[in-house]
Amino acid sequence: MNVLCTTVGLIAIYLYVSFVSLVWDGLDRRLVARMQRRVGPPLLQPFYDFLKLVSKESIIPRDSNKMFEASPILALAASITLLAYTPIGFGPILATKGDVLVFIYLLALIAFIRVIGAVSSGSPYAQIGAQREVIMLASREAPMMLGLFAILWRLAKLDVERPFSLETLYQHNIWEIGTPLTIVGSLVLLIVFVFWLASEIEVGYFNIPEAETEVAEGPMAEYSGRHLALFKLSNSLKEYASASLVVAMFFPWGLSQYLGISGIEAMLVDLVFHTIKVFMILFVSMSLFRAITGRLRVTQAVNLFWSRILSASIIGAILLVIDILGVIG
Amino acid sequence: MFGYWDALYFIYAFIIGLLISYLLMKWAEKASVGTRKEGDGSKIYISGEDQDKVIPQFEHLQGYFTGRHVMWGFIRGINKMFLTFRREHTGLLTDYVSYLLITVAIVLGVMVIWG
Protein backbone atom coordinates (compact mmCIF):
# COMPACT_ATOMS: atom_id res chain seq x y z
CA MET A 1 0.00 0.00 0.00
CA ASN A 2 2.77 2.35 1.01
CA VAL A 3 4.77 1.58 -2.13
CA LEU A 4 1.66 2.05 -4.27
CA CYS A 5 1.00 5.45 -2.68
CA THR A 6 4.60 6.47 -3.33
CA THR A 7 4.41 5.41 -6.96
CA VAL A 8 1.11 7.14 -7.69
CA GLY A 9 2.21 10.24 -5.78
CA LEU A 10 5.52 10.44 -7.62
CA ILE A 11 3.89 10.10 -11.04
CA ALA A 12 1.21 12.67 -10.14
CA ILE A 13 3.83 15.11 -8.90
CA TYR A 14 5.94 14.52 -12.00
CA LEU A 15 2.96 15.34 -14.24
CA TYR A 16 2.03 18.41 -12.20
CA VAL A 17 5.58 19.78 -11.94
CA SER A 18 6.42 19.22 -15.59
CA PHE A 19 3.26 21.15 -16.56
CA VAL A 20 3.83 23.95 -14.06
CA SER A 21 7.55 24.33 -14.74
CA LEU A 22 6.98 24.57 -18.49
CA VAL A 23 4.26 27.18 -17.84
CA TRP A 24 6.79 29.08 -15.72
CA ASP A 25 9.32 28.95 -18.57
CA GLY A 26 6.75 30.55 -20.85
CA LEU A 27 5.84 33.13 -18.23
CA ASP A 28 9.51 33.91 -17.65
CA ARG A 29 10.14 34.49 -21.35
CA ARG A 30 7.12 36.77 -21.53
CA LEU A 31 8.09 38.74 -18.42
CA VAL A 32 11.66 39.28 -19.60
CA ALA A 33 10.31 40.30 -23.01
CA ARG A 34 8.09 42.91 -21.36
CA MET A 35 11.06 44.22 -19.36
CA GLN A 36 12.92 44.66 -22.63
CA ARG A 37 9.86 46.26 -24.33
CA ARG A 38 9.24 43.28 -26.58
CA VAL A 39 5.96 41.41 -26.92
CA GLY A 40 7.46 37.98 -26.31
CA PRO A 41 6.30 34.48 -27.27
CA PRO A 42 2.91 33.02 -26.30
CA LEU A 43 2.58 31.60 -22.78
CA LEU A 44 2.54 28.02 -24.00
CA GLN A 45 5.62 28.41 -26.21
CA PRO A 46 7.75 25.90 -24.18
CA PHE A 47 5.10 23.23 -24.85
CA TYR A 48 5.21 24.02 -28.57
CA ASP A 49 9.01 23.92 -28.43
CA PHE A 50 8.94 20.55 -26.69
CA LEU A 51 6.53 19.02 -29.21
CA LYS A 52 8.42 20.51 -32.13
CA LEU A 53 11.74 19.15 -30.84
CA VAL A 54 10.19 15.73 -30.29
CA SER A 55 8.89 15.62 -33.84
CA LYS A 56 12.21 16.59 -35.41
CA GLU A 57 15.01 14.34 -36.57
CA SER A 58 17.67 13.62 -33.94
CA ILE A 59 21.19 13.93 -35.28
CA ILE A 60 23.81 11.84 -33.49
CA PRO A 61 27.39 12.95 -34.22
CA ARG A 62 29.67 10.40 -35.84
CA ASP A 63 32.24 10.47 -33.04
CA SER A 64 29.84 10.21 -30.12
CA ASN A 65 29.56 7.12 -27.95
CA LYS A 66 26.67 5.35 -26.21
CA MET A 67 26.52 7.76 -23.28
CA PHE A 68 25.58 10.54 -25.66
CA GLU A 69 22.24 8.87 -26.32
CA ALA A 70 21.74 7.57 -22.78
CA SER A 71 22.42 10.77 -20.86
CA PRO A 72 19.14 12.59 -21.71
CA ILE A 73 17.19 9.62 -20.34
CA LEU A 74 19.39 9.44 -17.24
CA ALA A 75 19.12 13.19 -16.67
CA LEU A 76 15.33 13.12 -16.83
CA ALA A 77 15.24 10.04 -14.59
CA ALA A 78 17.43 11.80 -12.02
CA SER A 79 15.16 14.87 -12.19
CA ILE A 80 12.07 12.74 -11.58
CA THR A 81 13.81 11.04 -8.65
CA LEU A 82 14.69 14.50 -7.32
CA LEU A 83 10.97 15.33 -7.23
CA ALA A 84 10.43 12.51 -4.72
CA TYR A 85 12.78 14.30 -2.32
CA THR A 86 11.57 17.84 -3.02
CA PRO A 87 9.46 19.71 -0.45
CA ILE A 88 6.32 20.90 -2.26
CA GLY A 89 4.19 22.82 0.21
CA PHE A 90 4.28 19.76 2.47
CA GLY A 91 7.05 17.27 3.23
CA PRO A 92 8.54 15.31 0.31
CA ILE A 93 6.95 11.98 -0.65
CA LEU A 94 10.03 10.10 0.53
CA ALA A 95 10.70 12.43 3.48
CA THR A 96 11.31 9.52 5.85
CA LYS A 97 13.48 7.65 3.33
CA GLY A 98 16.04 10.29 2.51
CA ASP A 99 17.19 13.64 3.77
CA VAL A 100 18.57 16.86 2.39
CA LEU A 101 21.88 15.20 1.46
CA VAL A 102 20.08 13.02 -1.09
CA PHE A 103 18.50 16.17 -2.50
CA ILE A 104 21.89 17.86 -2.94
CA TYR A 105 23.38 14.66 -4.33
CA LEU A 106 20.67 14.40 -6.99
CA LEU A 107 21.09 18.06 -7.98
CA ALA A 108 24.81 17.43 -8.51
CA LEU A 109 24.08 14.14 -10.28
CA ILE A 110 21.98 15.91 -12.94
CA ALA A 111 24.87 18.29 -13.64
CA PHE A 112 27.29 15.36 -13.88
CA ILE A 113 25.06 13.50 -16.32
CA ARG A 114 24.94 16.62 -18.48
CA VAL A 115 28.74 16.73 -18.36
CA ILE A 116 29.03 13.05 -19.31
CA GLY A 117 26.68 13.60 -22.26
CA ALA A 118 28.69 16.61 -23.35
CA VAL A 119 32.09 14.95 -23.26
CA SER A 120 30.67 11.94 -25.09
CA SER A 121 29.67 14.11 -28.05
CA GLY A 122 33.24 14.72 -29.22
CA SER A 123 32.69 18.42 -29.83
CA PRO A 124 35.19 20.98 -28.48
CA TYR A 125 32.34 23.40 -27.74
CA ALA A 126 30.57 20.79 -25.63
CA GLN A 127 33.80 19.99 -23.80
CA ILE A 128 34.39 23.64 -22.94
CA GLY A 129 30.79 23.81 -21.73
CA ALA A 130 31.30 20.67 -19.65
CA GLN A 131 34.47 22.10 -18.13
CA ARG A 132 32.63 25.29 -17.17
CA GLU A 133 29.75 23.29 -15.74
CA VAL A 134 32.08 21.35 -13.42
CA ILE A 135 33.86 24.51 -12.33
CA MET A 136 30.58 26.26 -11.54
CA LEU A 137 29.40 23.19 -9.64
CA ALA A 138 32.57 23.14 -7.54
CA SER A 139 32.18 26.85 -6.78
CA ARG A 140 28.49 27.11 -5.96
CA GLU A 141 28.16 24.05 -3.73
CA ALA A 142 30.40 25.30 -0.90
CA PRO A 143 28.46 28.45 0.13
CA MET A 144 25.13 26.74 -0.44
CA MET A 145 25.94 23.74 1.74
CA LEU A 146 27.38 25.90 4.51
CA GLY A 147 24.23 28.06 4.54
CA LEU A 148 21.89 25.09 4.37
CA PHE A 149 23.62 23.17 7.14
CA ALA A 150 23.85 26.26 9.36
CA ILE A 151 20.08 26.77 9.10
CA LEU A 152 19.27 23.09 9.65
CA TRP A 153 21.67 22.97 12.60
CA ARG A 154 19.98 26.04 14.11
CA LEU A 155 16.59 24.37 13.67
CA ALA A 156 17.96 21.19 15.26
CA LYS A 157 18.36 23.15 18.50
CA LEU A 158 14.56 23.48 18.64
CA ASP A 159 14.18 19.83 19.63
CA VAL A 160 13.31 18.27 16.32
CA GLU A 161 13.49 14.57 15.73
CA ARG A 162 15.22 14.56 12.34
CA PRO A 163 17.21 17.75 11.82
CA PHE A 164 18.29 16.96 8.24
CA SER A 165 14.87 15.90 7.03
CA LEU A 166 13.21 18.36 4.67
CA GLU A 167 9.96 17.80 6.57
CA THR A 168 11.48 19.67 9.52
CA LEU A 169 11.29 22.88 7.53
CA TYR A 170 7.49 22.71 7.74
CA GLN A 171 7.46 22.09 11.48
CA HIS A 172 9.79 24.91 12.40
CA ASN A 173 11.13 27.80 10.39
CA ILE A 174 14.08 30.04 10.90
CA TRP A 175 12.00 33.20 11.39
CA GLU A 176 9.99 31.89 14.35
CA ILE A 177 13.12 31.95 16.54
CA GLY A 178 12.79 35.71 16.29
CA THR A 179 16.06 36.89 17.83
CA PRO A 180 17.68 39.79 15.94
CA LEU A 181 20.84 37.79 15.18
CA THR A 182 18.95 34.91 13.58
CA ILE A 183 16.90 37.32 11.48
CA VAL A 184 19.97 39.16 10.21
CA GLY A 185 21.83 35.87 9.66
CA SER A 186 18.89 34.40 7.76
CA LEU A 187 18.59 37.50 5.57
CA VAL A 188 22.28 37.20 4.66
CA LEU A 189 21.78 33.52 3.87
CA LEU A 190 18.69 34.37 1.79
CA ILE A 191 20.87 36.55 -0.44
CA VAL A 192 23.39 33.70 -0.73
CA PHE A 193 20.60 31.37 -1.77
CA VAL A 194 19.23 33.79 -4.37
CA PHE A 195 22.67 33.80 -6.00
CA TRP A 196 22.97 30.03 -5.67
CA LEU A 197 19.59 29.55 -7.33
CA ALA A 198 20.59 31.82 -10.21
CA SER A 199 23.76 29.81 -10.73
CA GLU A 200 21.94 26.49 -10.36
CA ILE A 201 19.61 27.37 -13.23
CA GLU A 202 22.39 29.18 -15.07
CA VAL A 203 20.94 32.57 -15.86
CA GLY A 204 22.28 36.12 -15.96
CA TYR A 205 25.75 36.30 -14.43
CA PHE A 206 26.03 32.53 -14.40
CA ASN A 207 24.91 31.68 -17.92
CA ILE A 208 28.50 30.55 -18.40
CA PRO A 209 28.30 26.87 -19.39
CA GLU A 210 25.58 27.47 -21.97
CA ALA A 211 26.85 30.79 -23.29
CA GLU A 212 24.97 30.80 -26.60
CA THR A 213 26.97 33.45 -28.40
CA GLU A 214 30.28 32.16 -27.14
CA VAL A 215 30.37 28.37 -27.04
CA ALA A 216 27.13 27.62 -28.94
CA GLU A 217 25.01 26.28 -26.02
CA GLY A 218 28.01 24.54 -24.43
CA PRO A 219 27.08 21.03 -23.26
CA MET A 220 24.00 21.08 -25.47
CA ALA A 221 25.93 21.99 -28.63
CA GLU A 222 25.51 18.63 -30.36
CA TYR A 223 22.07 17.72 -29.04
CA SER A 224 19.04 17.98 -31.26
CA GLY A 225 15.54 16.62 -31.61
CA ARG A 226 14.11 14.45 -28.86
CA HIS A 227 17.40 14.23 -26.95
CA LEU A 228 17.42 18.00 -26.54
CA ALA A 229 13.71 17.96 -25.65
CA LEU A 230 14.36 15.56 -22.77
CA PHE A 231 17.23 17.70 -21.51
CA LYS A 232 15.05 20.82 -21.63
CA LEU A 233 12.33 19.08 -19.65
CA SER A 234 14.85 17.83 -17.11
CA ASN A 235 16.22 21.35 -16.73
CA SER A 236 12.75 22.75 -16.11
CA LEU A 237 12.10 20.13 -13.42
CA LYS A 238 15.44 20.92 -11.79
CA GLU A 239 14.59 24.62 -11.84
CA TYR A 240 11.36 24.00 -9.95
CA ALA A 241 13.00 21.61 -7.47
CA SER A 242 15.87 23.91 -6.58
CA ALA A 243 13.52 26.89 -6.18
CA SER A 244 11.35 24.67 -3.96
CA LEU A 245 14.27 24.17 -1.58
CA VAL A 246 14.71 27.94 -1.17
CA VAL A 247 10.96 28.42 -0.66
CA ALA A 248 10.79 25.62 1.91
CA MET A 249 13.74 27.03 3.82
CA PHE A 250 12.72 30.67 3.95
CA PHE A 251 8.98 30.85 3.18
CA PRO A 252 7.46 27.56 4.34
CA TRP A 253 4.07 28.89 5.46
CA GLY A 254 1.01 27.11 4.07
CA LEU A 255 -2.54 28.36 3.58
CA SER A 256 -4.42 25.26 4.72
CA GLN A 257 -4.06 25.87 8.46
CA TYR A 258 -5.57 29.35 8.10
CA LEU A 259 -8.44 28.06 5.97
CA GLY A 260 -9.07 25.25 8.44
CA ILE A 261 -9.10 22.40 5.94
CA SER A 262 -7.33 19.06 6.05
CA GLY A 263 -6.66 15.90 4.05
CA ILE A 264 -6.28 15.90 0.28
CA GLU A 265 -7.81 19.38 -0.09
CA ALA A 266 -5.22 20.88 2.24
CA MET A 267 -2.42 19.24 0.26
CA LEU A 268 -3.78 20.63 -3.01
CA VAL A 269 -4.17 24.15 -1.59
CA ASP A 270 -0.64 24.03 -0.15
CA LEU A 271 0.76 22.70 -3.43
CA VAL A 272 -0.82 25.54 -5.43
CA PHE A 273 0.28 28.13 -2.87
CA HIS A 274 3.80 26.64 -2.91
CA THR A 275 3.85 26.91 -6.70
CA ILE A 276 2.94 30.60 -6.49
CA LYS A 277 5.81 31.13 -4.02
CA VAL A 278 8.18 29.23 -6.32
CA PHE A 279 7.13 31.50 -9.19
CA MET A 280 7.85 34.55 -7.04
CA ILE A 281 11.32 33.41 -6.01
CA LEU A 282 12.07 32.40 -9.60
CA PHE A 283 10.88 35.83 -10.73
CA VAL A 284 13.56 37.46 -8.57
CA SER A 285 16.29 34.90 -9.10
CA MET A 286 15.68 34.09 -12.75
CA SER A 287 13.66 36.70 -14.67
CA LEU A 288 14.89 39.86 -12.95
CA PHE A 289 18.42 38.50 -12.64
CA ARG A 290 18.45 37.52 -16.31
CA ALA A 291 17.13 40.89 -17.41
CA ILE A 292 19.52 43.08 -15.43
CA THR A 293 22.82 41.18 -15.48
CA GLY A 294 25.11 40.00 -18.23
CA ARG A 295 27.30 36.95 -18.33
CA LEU A 296 30.51 36.94 -16.30
CA ARG A 297 33.75 35.31 -17.34
CA VAL A 298 34.20 31.93 -15.67
CA THR A 299 37.15 33.23 -13.61
CA GLN A 300 35.06 36.17 -12.39
CA ALA A 301 32.22 33.85 -11.42
CA VAL A 302 34.55 31.53 -9.50
CA ASN A 303 36.05 34.55 -7.76
CA LEU A 304 32.58 35.90 -6.93
CA PHE A 305 31.59 32.62 -5.33
CA TRP A 306 34.75 31.89 -3.38
CA SER A 307 35.54 35.40 -2.19
CA ARG A 308 32.17 37.13 -1.79
CA ILE A 309 29.31 34.65 -1.61
CA LEU A 310 31.25 32.16 0.52
CA SER A 311 32.20 34.98 2.92
CA ALA A 312 28.55 36.06 3.07
CA SER A 313 27.63 32.47 3.86
CA ILE A 314 30.30 32.26 6.57
CA ILE A 315 29.04 35.54 8.10
CA GLY A 316 25.47 34.22 8.12
CA ALA A 317 26.56 30.96 9.72
CA ILE A 318 28.64 32.78 12.36
CA LEU A 319 25.66 34.99 13.23
CA LEU A 320 23.56 31.87 13.82
CA VAL A 321 26.34 30.32 15.93
CA ILE A 322 26.67 33.48 18.05
CA ASP A 323 22.93 33.39 18.60
CA ILE A 324 23.11 29.82 19.91
CA LEU A 325 26.10 30.51 22.16
CA GLY A 326 24.31 33.51 23.64
CA VAL A 327 27.41 35.67 23.74
CA ILE A 328 25.45 38.81 22.82
CA GLY A 329 22.03 39.60 24.25
CA MET B 1 19.38 11.80 13.67
CA PHE B 2 21.67 13.56 11.22
CA GLY B 3 21.81 12.14 7.72
CA TYR B 4 19.87 9.06 6.72
CA TRP B 5 18.66 7.51 3.50
CA ASP B 6 17.00 4.34 2.33
CA ALA B 7 18.86 3.01 -0.69
CA LEU B 8 16.06 0.66 -1.74
CA TYR B 9 13.51 3.47 -1.97
CA PHE B 10 16.05 5.57 -3.82
CA ILE B 11 16.60 2.84 -6.39
CA TYR B 12 12.84 2.31 -6.65
CA ALA B 13 12.22 6.01 -7.32
CA PHE B 14 15.08 6.08 -9.82
CA ILE B 15 13.65 3.07 -11.66
CA ILE B 16 10.27 4.82 -11.90
CA GLY B 17 12.02 7.88 -13.27
CA LEU B 18 14.00 5.76 -15.70
CA LEU B 19 10.83 4.03 -16.87
CA ILE B 20 8.97 7.32 -17.42
CA SER B 21 11.83 8.90 -19.33
CA TYR B 22 12.47 5.75 -21.38
CA LEU B 23 8.80 5.56 -22.38
CA LEU B 24 8.85 9.27 -23.23
CA MET B 25 11.94 8.70 -25.37
CA LYS B 26 10.35 5.71 -27.14
CA TRP B 27 7.17 7.72 -27.81
CA ALA B 28 9.29 10.58 -29.11
CA GLU B 29 11.21 8.19 -31.35
CA LYS B 30 7.97 7.00 -32.87
CA ALA B 31 6.60 10.53 -33.26
CA SER B 32 9.77 11.95 -34.77
CA VAL B 33 11.04 11.93 -38.33
CA GLY B 34 13.86 9.59 -37.34
CA THR B 35 17.48 9.46 -36.31
CA ARG B 36 20.50 10.36 -38.40
CA LYS B 37 23.80 8.78 -37.43
CA GLU B 38 25.79 9.15 -40.64
CA GLY B 39 25.85 11.24 -43.74
CA ASP B 40 25.22 14.95 -43.96
CA GLY B 41 25.21 16.83 -40.70
CA SER B 42 26.61 14.04 -38.57
CA LYS B 43 29.95 15.82 -38.26
CA ILE B 44 30.38 17.81 -35.05
CA TYR B 45 29.34 21.45 -35.03
CA ILE B 46 31.73 23.77 -36.84
CA SER B 47 34.41 24.57 -34.28
CA GLY B 48 37.76 24.57 -36.04
CA GLU B 49 37.90 20.82 -35.61
CA ASP B 50 37.44 18.79 -38.80
CA GLN B 51 37.27 15.03 -38.41
CA ASP B 52 37.88 14.42 -42.11
CA LYS B 53 40.96 16.54 -42.30
CA VAL B 54 44.03 14.62 -41.20
CA ILE B 55 47.16 16.70 -40.87
CA PRO B 56 50.25 14.77 -42.07
CA GLN B 57 52.49 13.64 -39.19
CA PHE B 58 49.83 14.65 -36.63
CA GLU B 59 47.58 11.62 -37.14
CA HIS B 60 47.96 10.60 -33.49
CA LEU B 61 46.31 13.81 -32.24
CA GLN B 62 42.58 13.35 -31.80
CA GLY B 63 41.41 16.87 -31.13
CA TYR B 64 43.39 19.46 -29.29
CA PHE B 65 41.09 19.84 -26.29
CA THR B 66 42.65 17.65 -23.62
CA GLY B 67 42.00 17.00 -19.96
CA ARG B 68 44.72 19.43 -18.93
CA HIS B 69 42.41 22.40 -19.51
CA VAL B 70 39.55 21.11 -17.44
CA MET B 71 40.11 23.08 -14.26
CA TRP B 72 41.57 26.18 -15.93
CA GLY B 73 38.84 28.62 -14.91
CA PHE B 74 38.81 27.29 -11.37
CA ILE B 75 42.52 27.71 -10.77
CA ARG B 76 42.59 31.03 -12.57
CA GLY B 77 39.56 32.36 -10.64
CA ILE B 78 41.09 31.87 -7.21
CA ASN B 79 44.65 32.34 -8.37
CA LYS B 80 45.66 34.53 -5.42
CA MET B 81 44.64 31.86 -2.92
CA PHE B 82 46.54 29.21 -4.86
CA LEU B 83 49.66 31.39 -4.92
CA THR B 84 49.39 32.04 -1.18
CA PHE B 85 49.07 28.34 -0.44
CA ARG B 86 51.94 27.52 -2.78
CA ARG B 87 54.17 30.04 -1.01
CA GLU B 88 53.46 28.29 2.29
CA HIS B 89 54.63 24.95 0.87
CA THR B 90 58.30 25.69 1.31
CA GLY B 91 59.45 22.09 1.48
CA LEU B 92 61.31 22.66 4.75
CA LEU B 93 60.47 20.15 7.47
CA THR B 94 60.78 22.72 10.25
CA ASP B 95 58.05 24.83 8.63
CA TYR B 96 55.63 21.90 8.49
CA VAL B 97 56.35 20.97 12.10
CA SER B 98 55.67 24.56 13.16
CA TYR B 99 52.29 24.49 11.31
CA LEU B 100 51.43 21.29 13.16
CA LEU B 101 52.40 22.83 16.49
CA ILE B 102 50.36 25.98 15.82
CA THR B 103 47.29 23.92 14.84
CA VAL B 104 47.59 21.75 17.97
CA ALA B 105 47.99 24.88 20.10
CA ILE B 106 44.82 26.41 18.60
CA VAL B 107 42.83 23.19 19.10
CA LEU B 108 44.05 22.88 22.70
CA GLY B 109 43.27 26.54 23.33
CA VAL B 110 39.72 26.10 22.07
CA MET B 111 39.28 22.96 24.18
CA VAL B 112 40.57 24.73 27.30
CA ILE B 113 38.30 27.74 26.81
CA TRP B 114 35.16 25.69 26.11
CA GLY B 115 35.97 23.04 28.63
Side-chain angles (χ1 to χ4, degrees):
Chain A
M1 187 60 202
N2 197 12
V3 173
L4 191 69
C5 277
T6 310
T7 317
V8 173
L10 181 55
I11 292 172
I13 282 172
Y14 157 68
L15 290 174
Y16 174 77
V17 172
S18 53
F19 174 75
V20 166
S21 60
L22 286 178
V23 167
W24 166 254
D25 279 348
L27 206 62
D28 165 66
R29 284 171 71 175
R30 248 185 119 75
L31 286 168
V32 173
R34 286 297 155 86
M35 287 179 216
Q36 297 168 341
R37 300 198 176 180
R38 292 185 284 120
V39 178
L43 189 63
L44 295 181
Q45 187 63 41
F47 291 92
Y48 305 146
D49 284 352
F50 184 79
L51 292 176
K52 174 87 178 176
L53 278 174
V54 160
S55 72
K56 282 183 84 102
E57 190 179 22
S58 257
I59 299 173
I60 316 280
R62 228 187 292 165
D63 284 354
S64 66
N65 58 29
K66 277 282 167 223
M67 279 315 286
F68 181 81
E69 286 176 73
S71 61
I73 300 176
L74 288 175
L76 187 59
S79 304
I80 295 170
T81 319
L82 179 64
L83 292 179
Y85 296 97
T86 307
I88 34 170
F90 40 89
I93 311 175
L94 292 180
T96 51
K97 310 291 177 209
D99 56 1
V100 70
L101 295 181
V102 183
F103 185 88
I104 297 171
Y105 164 73
L106 277 166
L107 272 183
L109 184 68
I110 297 170
F112 272 113
I113 291 171
R114 271 161 65 92
V115 166
I116 288 171
V119 281
S120 305
S121 71
S123 163
Y125 279 136
Q127 299 215 5
I128 295 173
Q131 165 211 337
R132 291 176 176 195
E133 181 107 32
V134 173
I135 290 169
M136 289 302 295
L137 186 77
S139 308
R140 72 174 172 238
E141 294 286 276
M144 172 271 211
M145 283 201 206
L146 181 61
L148 182 63
F149 293 160
I151 286 182
L152 289 172
W153 174 78
R154 182 67 188 85
L155 290 178
K157 300 285 172 190
L158 297 175
D159 251 7
V160 293
E161 197 186 339
R162 290 178 155 164
F164 268 35
S165 164
L166 284 164
E167 224 169 8
T168 311
L169 295 169
Y170 289 105
Q171 290 154 4
H172 295 283
N173 64 62
I174 196 76
W175 309 108
E176 78 183 25
I177 298 164
T179 51
L181 276 176
T182 6
I183 289 176
V184 176
S186 308
L187 284 175
V188 172
L189 289 179
L190 180 60
I191 296 169
V192 170
F193 270 86
V194 165
F195 273 90
W196 168 76
L197 187 57
S199 77
E200 184 67 52
I201 53 192
E202 288 162 7
V203 287
Y205 273 164
F206 310 109
N207 183 15
I208 299 165
E210 287 198 11
E212 285 86 357
T213 46
E214 198 182 329
V215 287
E217 284 268 332
M220 301 290 108
E222 295 298 331
Y223 279 104
S224 57
R226 56 178 187 277
H227 295 87
L228 186 59
L230 255 66
F231 261 129
K232 294 251 181 215
L233 183 62
S234 136
N235 261 4
S236 296
L237 296 183
K238 192 179 90 167
E239 221 169 85
Y240 186 93
S242 34
S244 289
L245 177 70
V246 181
V247 166
M249 278 172 69
F250 294 101
F251 315 104
W253 307 287
L255 269 185
S256 57
Q257 61 203 42
Y258 297 106
L259 297 175
I261 46 177
S262 59
I264 297 284
E265 281 174 24
M267 283 173 122
L268 285 177
V269 168
D270 279 345
L271 183 59
V272 172
F273 189 54
H274 174 82
T275 309
I276 294 169
K277 285 186 287 186
V278 164
F279 281 9
M280 281 173 171
I281 198 95
L282 279 176
F283 174 71
V284 175
S285 207
M286 187 175 170
S287 311
L288 266 184
F289 205 77
R290 188 152 79 92
I292 60 178
T293 61
R295 185 189 317 128
L296 292 178
R297 262 186 284 136
V298 66
T299 52
Q300 288 170 329
V302 168
N303 205 340
L304 178 75
F305 267 109
W306 284 97
S307 62
R308 286 163 183 80
I309 297 181
L310 183 62
S311 350
S313 194
I314 290 171
I315 289 171
I318 287 176
L319 286 175
L320 294 184
V321 170
I322 293 175
D323 183 58
I324 281 280
L325 294 177
V327 182
I328 303 170
Chain B
M1 190 162 69
F2 280 95
Y4 59 93
W5 76 308
D6 195 327
L8 277 181
Y9 272 90
F10 179 83
I11 290 169
Y12 181 68
F14 198 83
I15 285 173
I16 292 177
L18 215 54
L19 211 65
I20 293 175
S21 42
Y22 184 73
L23 288 176
L24 200 63
M25 192 64 145
K26 277 289 153 204
W27 165 74
E29 203 171 349
K30 218 182 273 176
S32 71
V33 182
T35 316
R36 197 192 301 168
K37 289 195 177 179
E38 47 203 19
D40 287 345
S42 67
K43 259 166 121 177
I44 52 172
Y45 186 70
I46 179 165
S47 56
E49 191 121 335
D50 192 345
Q51 293 138 297
D52 292 340
K53 199 168 126 196
V54 179
I55 305 165
Q57 297 181 9
F58 286 94
E59 291 88 354
H60 60 285
L61 280 183
Q62 296 197 336
Y64 43 72
F65 198 92
T66 61
R68 265 187 307 158
H69 308 285
V70 163
M71 289 318 247
W72 177 81
F74 193 72
I75 290 165
R76 185 76 202 152
I78 41 177
N79 202 10
K80 269 188 192 161
M81 201 178 87
F82 265 98
L83 288 181
T84 316
F85 282 151
R86 192 187 286 171
R87 218 178 298 128
E88 296 304 316
H89 285 82
T90 48
L92 300 173
L93 189 62
T94 45
D95 282 4
Y96 292 110
V97 172
S98 69
Y99 296 148
L100 189 67
L101 282 177
I102 291 168
T103 315
V104 170
I106 290 173
V107 170
L108 279 178
V110 168
M111 281 169 77
V112 166
I113 288 172
W114 263 317

